[in-house]
Amino acid sequence: MLPKLIVVQVEGCNFSGFFDVHEFEKPNDERALNLMNACALAVLEEFPDIVFAYGFRDEYSFIFKKDTKFYQRRASKMNSLVVSFFTSVYIIKWKDFFVEKDMRFQPSFKSRVICCATVEVLQTYISWRQRACHVENLYNTCFWMLIKHGKSKKEAKEMMEGTQKQEQNEILFQLFGVNYKNIPSIFRQGSCALKTEVEDIVKYKENGTPVKRLKRKVILTHSENVSARSFWNVHSCLHKELGHFERDISKIKPDYIKSFQFENNLMPSTWIVIRVDGCHFHRFSEVHEFEKPNDEQALNLMNSCAVAVVEEFNDIVFSYGVSDEYSFVLKKNSCFYERHASEIVSAIVSFFSSAYVMKWKLYFAQKELKYPPYFDGRAVCYPSSDILLDYLAWRQVDCHINNQYNTCFWMLVKSGKSKSEAQNFLKGTQTQEKNELLTQFAIDYNTLPLMFRQGTSVFWDKGRPFNPAC
Ligand code: GTP
Ligand code: MG
């Protein structure tokens, strides 16, 4: 609700495993952080309403301008679109940073929305995240120094136990001659992506004087204290779009932090359906020249992503997909992410997006992926098996209606009608009339591929079909 400030916090899923598989440097891998930063910059470019981002390790927080109307401020949309786009970019840009390393483990992220009632709360949130960066990094720097100098993980842990910042600084300095302050700021302070206004020369007048215009530019920066007035209030975009910081923060009240960790739970003992839907796929399918009305390879790619999702998330018992959407059904008693809506939705949407980009070349060997595809996601709970079946039937009826309409529409267009003529021609026609129209083009609708007419189901074959009554 207005006037709250909206933060989407994205975080790697099982990134310790991902870091190990790719042998990232410890405690900090500069290239991995640069890749995260490149993704954050891309998010700010893609979504005009996001004006600021702060990140460290495998985490990034994105902040929308205060009066944003992005998708009517619907949390699930904002959350899933950001995490999905971030994921796609992460995979697409991987090779720019790791030329010699193949991606051997499919990365994915989860995310949640955090609402800040006032700009002071936002300031506290940013301060909390930057403190977490500092505390973790100082600890990890010491810990890995001890390991590099011969200690076992157990010994290093024991040495570090109960140490405060001051003692950790001393360990670094006295044992290893390292002054923590000289460690690169990207490690110690994290990174900020923000929008600034720069003067841009748009043209020159006849007399040679330049005509200038203020243009928004996304920049990356590091700062000792992001929540300080001295940082925030000098960036006009930040205080214009988010508000001024009135005073500096010295201490964070634990109550604030608890409110940031608030999660929306899905009703217990209900079927959870997560529906993933391609964002602006009308355009995406045009740009990538998908066959009309159905592109078999594009559908096979969607299906293969659904298989990957079903294999990854044990609690998914069934899934159904058509066109650019897929619905995943989680078992009634699932405790996945303690039934936290945003985490479940984001983890599945992100994993699906990740699979889509990684598998693209398998299905479109000759086609370049021209820009990052992304998906939105939502969660709906269905209390009974009957209602769940109604839901699935509704999606399948939609598949049939759309497919039959689109098959007729594109046949009319291929036969020479304009798009608006084809639209008018089909207005008000029923199934029977559409089937008859297709017979004029020598098409028997009922013999078209099942996948086009009925969509696709993905589930584990345990020797018996899915039965929601069980
Ligand atoms: P939002 O989901 O609201 O962002 O819009 P969208 O553009 O993704 O449209 P929507 O999800 O309502 O519909 C999916 C669109 O994807 C269709 O209208 C088609 O334009 C396109 N699409 C999906 N599958 C295919 C395909 O196999 N071939 C072609 N040519 N287009 C497809
Ligand atoms: Mg769509």
Side-chain angles (χ1 to χ4, degrees):
M1 275 191 292
L2 275 164
K4 286 182 188 167
L5 293 158
I6 300 167
V7 181
V8 173
Q9 186 196 61
V10 174
E11 189 193 349
C13 280
N14 187 13
F15 256 47
S16 56
F18 184 81
F19 280 22
D20 285 345
V21 168
H22 295 103
E23 294 163 342
F24 282 180
E25 276 175 41
K26 285 172 173 139
N28 289 295
D29 189 295
E30 198 164 347
R31 288 189 298 173
L33 291 173
N34 287 336
L35 171 56
M36 288 291 290
N37 290 341
C39 296
L41 292 175
V43 169
L44 264 74
E45 300 275 5
E46 179 72 17
F47 302 107
D49 281 8
I50 299 180
V51 287
F52 180 74
Y54 172 74
F56 67 102
R57 205 188 352 104
D58 61 341
E59 173 186 313
Y60 241 108
S61 298
F62 295 95
I63 302 165
F64 284 79
K65 65 178 188 182
K66 59 184 171 204
D67 54 359
T68 180
K69 297 203 173 57
F70 188 62
Y71 283 102
Q72 293 90 47
R73 302 170 69 93
R74 279 156 59 197
S76 189
K77 278 260 183 193
M78 298 169 105
N79 195 36
S80 53
L81 292 175
V82 170
V83 76
S84 174
F85 184 76
F86 190 95
T87 309
S88 284
V89 177
Y90 194 91
I91 297 155
I92 290 170
K93 287 193 183 285
W94 172 268
K95 273 285 168 200
D96 295 351
F97 294 88
F98 296 101
V99 186
E100 80 297 353
K101 271 188 202 184
D102 284 334
M103 201 178 243
R104 286 185 279 131
F105 182 115
Q106 189 185 317
S108 65
F109 297 82
K110 62 182 171 162
S111 58
R112 58 208 176 108
V113 168
I114 291 149
C115 287
C116 299
T118 60
V119 71
E120 288 78 37
V121 181
L122 175 68
Q123 185 183 18
T124 313
Y125 172 81
I126 295 169
S127 170
W128 173 49
R129 294 328 296 145
Q130 196 172 30
R131 278 173 210 212
C133 165
H134 172 62
V135 170
E136 276 180 31
N137 188 59
L138 180 58
Y139 180 97
N140 290 338
T141 308
C142 279
F143 181 82
W144 288 103
M145 268 295 181
L146 290 166
I147 306 271
K148 274 178 200 158
H149 287 81
K151 294 264 180 283
S152 70
K153 281 190 182 169
K154 189 166 168 264
E155 287 167 338
K157 229 179 227 166
E158 279 167 7
M159 273 189 78
M160 298 287 300
E161 204 168 299
T163 53
Q164 299 297 308
K165 282 191 225 165
Q166 189 53 30
E167 290 158 279
Q168 292 170 6
N169 272 317
E170 275 163 21
I171 293 178
L172 281 177
F173 195 69
Q174 283 166 9
L175 296 185
F176 310 115
V178 172
N179 183 347
Y180 184 70
K181 283 212 158 65
N182 294 336
I183 286 175
S185 52
I186 184 173
F187 302 159
R188 283 184 297 115
Q189 302 168 348
S191 304
C192 306
L194 58 103
K195 283 180 178 152
T196 54
E197 280 174 344
V198 289
E199 272 193 347
D200 191 34
I201 297 173
V202 276
K203 62 177 182 188
Y204 289 90
K205 288 184 185 162
E206 273 174 17
N207 64 6
T209 49
V211 178
K212 292 178 183 167
R213 198 185 50 188
L214 277 180
K215 198 179 130 194
R216 284 204 151 184
K217 192 171 172 239
V218 182
I219 59 158
L220 189 82
T221 179
H222 309 284
S223 165
E224 183 85 43
N225 187 351
V226 184
S227 65
R229 285 174 303 167
S230 54
F231 172 80
W232 197 263
N233 295 346
V234 297
H235 292 291
S236 62
C237 274
L238 297 185
H239 59 76
K240 263 197 239 156
E241 306 283 18
L242 295 163
H244 264 94
F245 286 173
E246 295 297 337
R247 59 185 77 80
D248 286 337
I249 303 175
S250 52
K251 215 166 155 247
I252 302 177
K253 293 188 197 125
D255 278 359
Y256 266 143
I257 305 213
K258 271 196 209 135
S259 71
F260 298 142
Q261 288 164 338
F262 169 82
E263 276 289 351
N264 227 342
N265 282 9
L266 293 166
M267 200 188 286
S269 297
T270 54
W271 298 101
I272 301 171
V273 174
I274 307 294
R275 185 160 81 244
V276 170
D277 185 299
C279 186
H280 305 320
F281 258 48
H282 185 69
R283 174 169 172 250
F284 185 82
S285 55
E286 295 279 349
V287 171
H288 293 90
E289 294 168 348
F290 284 1
E291 273 175 41
K292 288 166 172 144
N294 290 294
D295 188 297
E296 198 173 342
Q297 284 305 80
L299 293 173
N300 284 337
L301 171 57
M302 289 289 291
N303 294 339
S304 145
C305 296
V307 170
V309 168
V310 171
E311 283 175 344
E312 175 73 12
F313 300 95
N314 291 329
D315 283 3
I316 296 176
V317 286
F318 186 77
S319 65
Y320 173 75
V322 30
S323 179
D324 68 338
E325 72 164 60
Y326 242 99
S327 297
F328 297 96
V329 183
L330 274 77
K331 62 183 184 190
K332 249 181 156 175
N333 58 357
S334 173
C335 295
F336 185 45
Y337 285 129
E338 295 163 61
R339 296 178 83 89
H340 294 159
S342 57
E343 287 183 307
I344 300 176
V345 172
S346 61
I348 292 179
V349 171
S350 172
F351 196 86
F352 192 95
S353 316
S354 173
Y356 197 92
V357 177
M358 288 188 78
K359 290 168 182 282
W360 175 267
K361 271 278 162 222
L362 294 176
Y363 292 88
F364 295 107
Q366 310 303 328
K367 275 185 198 172
E368 219 39 66
L369 187 55
K370 299 215 170 105
Y371 61 88
Y374 56 106
F375 298 81
D376 73 36
R378 71 195 75 196
V380 186
C381 293
Y382 294 98
S384 72
S385 312
D386 284 349
I387 301 179
L388 172 66
L389 290 180
D390 283 347
Y391 168 80
L392 293 169
W394 167 52
R395 295 324 302 140
Q396 197 170 30
V397 166
D398 220 49
C399 166
H400 167 70
I401 292 172
N402 287 336
N403 186 59
Q404 200 188 31
Y405 180 93
N406 290 338
T407 310
C408 291
F409 178 84
W410 288 108
M411 281 318 293
L412 289 167
V413 171
K414 276 178 200 163
S415 73
K417 288 211 180 335
S418 72
K419 285 185 183 170
S420 61
E421 281 168 351
Q423 221 166 359
N424 286 333
F425 194 91
L426 289 170
K427 214 175 246 170
T429 53
Q430 299 298 309
T431 296
Q432 193 50 35
E433 290 158 273
K434 290 201 192 78
N435 276 340
E436 278 160 20
L437 171 73
L438 289 174
T439 42
Q440 288 169 27
F441 294 112
I443 294 175
D444 176 0
Y445 184 74
N446 292 321
T447 62
L448 291 179
L450 269 179
M451 178 166 72
F452 298 171
R453 286 186 291 123
Q454 299 182 357
T456 305
S457 305
V458 176
F459 54 93
W460 288 101
D461 179 9
K462 290 178 185 160
R464 57 197 153 85
F466 168 68
N467 179 0
C470 294

